[in-house]
Structure formats: C-alpha cells, structure tokens
Amino acid sequence: MADDKSKLGQDRRTIAAGEPYEVNYFARKHGLSKEEAAKIIKEAGGNREKANALAAKKK
C-alpha cells in the first residue's frame, strides 16, 4: 500500500511498508532492524496501532 500524500494528517493510522522512510522511522523508533520492522508492519497489515503493539512484544 503506497502512502497517499494527499491525505495530510488523515493517514496517521497506517504505515506504508512500501515507503522506505516509514519503515526506517518505525525501525529506529523501536530499535529494530529494517527487516524486522518490515516484517512486523506486514504482519500488522499496515495498522500502526497493531504494529506498535507487536514491536513492544519484541523488546
């Protein structure tokens, strides 16, 4: 799912796994490798809340 740049402020519920800057930010935020972060994002279906919960379990 690509990041929709026209949805300013409305697209915060999701993480676009296809956008490297979003994966990099998520990885840095949770202290994960880029590969781990991408896997978690895909497992959560792009849902930011679910991805954050899954990443918290990894710690």
Side-chain angles (χ1 to χ4, degrees):
M1 170 171 43
D3 196 14
D4 187 347
K5 305 284 191 240
S6 69
K7 292 184 176 182
L8 297 175
Q10 299 173 15
D11 202 24
R12 300 282 185 208
R13 293 178 295 225
T14 61
I15 305 170
E19 295 289 346
Y21 68 92
E22 290 206 29
V23 176
N24 290 338
Y25 172 79
F26 186 81
R28 280 193 320 270
K29 177 181 175 182
H30 292 287
L32 303 168
S33 71
K34 292 176 190 176
E35 294 79 18
E36 288 176 313
K39 183 179 175 184
I40 288 172
I41 292 167
K42 287 181 183 180
E43 186 178 333
N47 182 297
R48 187 175 304 274
E49 199 171 295
K50 288 180 185 177
N52 284 333
L54 288 170
K57 288 181 184 178
K58 285 265 189 190
K59 291 182 180 182

